[in-house]
Structures are given as C-alpha cells and as structure tokens.
Amino acid sequence: MTERRERGAEPAEPLDRAGHVDSVDAVDSATEAFVAHRNLLFTVAYEMLGSAADAEDVLQETWLRWVDVDLDTVREQRAYLVRIVTRQALDRLRVLGRRKESYVGPWLPEPLLTAPDVAEDVELAESVSMAMLLVLETLQPIERAVFVLREVFDLDYDEIAEAVGKSPNAVRQLAYRARAHVAARRPRGVASPAETRAALQAFQRAVETGELQSLLDVLAPDVVALSDGGGVRHALLRPVVGIDNVARLLAIGWWKRDAERSVELVQINGGPGLLVRVDGEVDGVVAVRVENGYVTGAYHVRNPEKLSHVERETAVTR
C-alpha cells in the first residue's frame, strides 16, 4: 500500500516543478519586456505628470499589473505597457491636481539631470523642457495624455483610444483641441542650445560676481520669474513679472554673500540649466525659457523633495 502511494505521488512532483518553472519563465519574460521599455514608460509618465517621483510610482504600479498579464494574449508588448502606464498616470494626475490646490507658492515641474544626447532629439528635448511641461500643465488630464501620446510618441489614434478609454473619433477631437491649446502657448522662435546656454551663463556670472548688466541684456521686457520652494525653502509666493521687477528681485535676493555658493552649467530636462550648490549641498536648479534670443521665463526649483533627480542622469527616450 505504501509503495503504491509513493508511486502514485511520483508524477505530481515533476508537474509541480514544471509549473514552477513555467511561472519563473513567465516572470523572466515579463521582466525582460518591462526593462526593455522602462525608459520609454518613465518618459511617458513623466511628461504626463511633471514629477519624477510620481512617474517612478506609476512605473511600480505598472509593473505590478504587467507581471500578472498572460503574455501569450499580448499582441504588442510596447503598446500594452504604454496603455497600462497611461491609465495609471491619469489616475495619479487627479491626485496631483488635489495636491497642487494646497501647494505653497507656484508649482514647478520636478527637474531632471539628462544626458547630453537628449538635446540631439529636438522634439524629445522640447517635450521634456520645463517650459513645455508648464504648458502641458494648462491642459486637462485627458488632453495631456492624448497630446503626449500622439505628438511626442506618435501613437496612432486607435492605440491612444485603448489607452485612455475613448473612441478614436473622440481622441482625434481631443488631439486637435490639445494641439491648438499648446500651439498658442508654446515658446515662439525655438531657441538653439547655444542661445539658452548664453542666457544661463549670464545668470551664472551674475551669481558669481554680482554684476547684473549682462543678465539684464538678455531678459525680455515681459520676463516672468517663478520659484518653487514648496513651503520648505524660501521662494517667491507668486510670479514676478517684468524686467524691472525681476532685476530688483535678483539684485536683492538670490546671491547674497551669506554662504559658499557655486553654480554649474548642466543639462536639465534636455537643455542647458544651472545646478546651484550652497556649502557643497544642492540648493536648487534654474531653467529658462528663451524666445528670439531673450529670456521670457526663469524657473528656480528649490523644493528639496524635487531635487532628487539632479545629481545623477535620468534616461528619457521615445
């Protein structure tokens, strides 16, 4: 009787082993696909949210859903993953919207230290720039998702429709509306990296020497300065508009000689930016919007919670 029972149990052991192997293989395949598309998925989430921390959370949520998918049922893994990350980002956008309502002072996107080669893809560099992310903030969440997927990642309307849960015709209308909205607000006269770099070098000289004239020479009459301290660090509580007001602000504020301050020209969000350190610690990031050779927007991020991605490069791709 014992012998028969042992013999009867023998087939079950290999079956369990095979089932375990299949499960491990499935996870390995899911992991391989996810890793292959991870930088793309991060870029989609970041452009929809303007927050690297929230984009990372969305990727984690996407992975948890992806690992449970039967890959044999997936025709196009890239499209399927983009669909998951888009839906998760849309959910997160609603949470962010409520968070921004109680945010102290202006809200600016979370800056990224990016590789120099990002600037070589002009469309990608523009799409992750601080200036463009601020324009995208003026869209409704569903419009933002459609614009990013269509204009930046060139998904077809059927793919976008599946991702956002709308009909292809509705997506076409949303894309048209979002495109017109962005076109009316995006920077006019695309600035070359050299023009942006020259403007930031003027900021850098002003910080290092206290000499403002070279900076004033590159500020547009209607320049807008925004700073984001998140209620944690000293920052502007509202936008400062106009060259006279911005000049006054710069003269009395940013470079007081109360600490050892250094300014480094780096690649921020696909273009030149300034990384500011005080006593060796990261204190903030400055990015600018340049139109027709003049600075029309200056963005100073000081909120410590938004500075975790400026000391190591973050990969963004299309």
Side-chain angles (χ1 to χ4, degrees):
M1 179 75 75
T2 302
E3 183 182 354
R4 209 180 290 120
R5 229 185 261 117
E6 287 173 352
R7 269 200 221 109
E10 284 172 6
E13 189 176 346
L15 284 174
D16 288 343
R17 218 181 278 124
H20 176 69
V21 169
D22 287 346
S23 175
V24 170
D25 287 346
V27 172
D28 286 347
S29 296
T31 302
E32 183 179 349
F34 187 84
V35 169
H37 298 296
R38 188 190 186 285
N39 293 343
L40 164 74
L41 299 175
F42 174 84
T43 309
V44 171
Y46 177 70
E47 291 198 20
M48 286 183 60
L49 300 169
S51 164
D54 285 286
E56 294 285 3
D57 288 346
V58 163
L59 258 63
Q60 180 64 28
E61 293 160 1
T62 298
W63 162 249
L64 293 175
R65 283 158 178 75
W66 172 246
V67 77
D68 285 336
V69 172
D70 180 357
L71 298 188
D72 291 336
T73 67
V74 178
R75 294 193 308 276
E76 222 307 310
Q77 293 180 344
R78 177 182 182 271
Y80 199 101
L81 280 163
V82 168
R83 188 189 317 165
I84 299 175
V85 86
T86 299
R87 290 176 179 174
Q88 296 306 310
L90 279 171
D91 288 343
R92 185 59 63 100
L93 265 178
R94 298 181 183 100
V95 175
L96 276 177
R98 292 193 292 272
R99 196 187 304 167
K100 289 171 190 173
E101 289 175 2
S102 58
Y103 197 78
V104 178
W107 184 96
L108 289 174
E110 187 174 342
L112 304 177
L113 183 70
T114 51
D117 60 0
V118 174
E120 296 172 8
D121 184 339
V122 176
E123 290 183 358
L124 176 62
E126 184 195 20
S127 71
V128 297
S129 69
M130 297 284 279
M132 178 55 74
L133 291 174
L134 283 171
V135 172
L136 295 181
E137 282 293 312
T138 63
L139 293 171
Q140 294 298 316
I142 191 73
E143 292 175 335
R144 184 168 184 168
V146 169
F147 180 88
V148 167
L149 295 178
R150 180 64 183 171
E151 299 300 315
V152 182
F153 298 97
D154 199 30
L155 269 63
D156 64 42
Y157 290 114
D158 289 339
E159 287 180 293
I160 299 172
E162 289 189 24
V164 301
K166 298 284 185 181
S167 70
N169 283 339
V171 166
R172 283 187 176 86
Q173 293 174 356
L174 286 165
Y176 176 81
R177 195 159 63 235
R179 198 179 301 119
H181 184 96
V182 170
R185 291 163 177 79
R186 76 192 318 158
R188 291 172 174 78
V190 177
S192 68
E195 287 179 312
T196 303
R197 193 177 301 110
L200 283 162
Q201 285 171 339
F203 270 95
Q204 186 175 11
R205 284 193 298 274
V207 174
E208 292 174 343
T209 69
E211 192 276 309
L212 292 179
Q213 190 55 53
S214 61
L215 178 53
L216 296 177
D217 289 342
V218 297
L219 294 182
D222 57 351
V223 61
V224 178
L226 299 171
S227 65
D228 178 344
V232 179
R233 284 185 175 165
H234 179 71
L236 303 172
L237 292 179
R238 60 186 61 84
V240 173
V241 182
I243 189 170
D244 291 339
N245 292 328
V246 171
R248 192 176 303 112
L249 168 72
L250 297 174
I252 66 174
W254 198 24
W255 35 77
K256 286 181 179 177
R257 304 290 178 172
D258 56 355
E260 184 65 33
R261 192 180 301 273
S262 65
V263 184
E264 180 184 0
L265 191 62
V266 295
Q267 289 292 117
I268 294 293
N269 287 61
L274 295 179
L275 181 62
V276 183
R277 298 180 189 273
V278 173
D279 295 331
E281 299 294 326
V282 172
D283 181 77
V285 166
V286 178
V288 295
R289 169 173 169 154
V290 178
E291 302 178 63
N292 301 316
Y294 290 94
V295 174
T296 58
Y299 315 118
H300 186 196
V301 181
R302 297 195 70 215
N303 184 348
E305 294 181 359
K306 294 185 176 184
L307 298 174
S308 62
H309 285 71
V310 297
E311 293 195 89
R312 67 183 189 281
E313 286 183 3
T314 297
V316 294
T317 189
R318 289 200 292 167

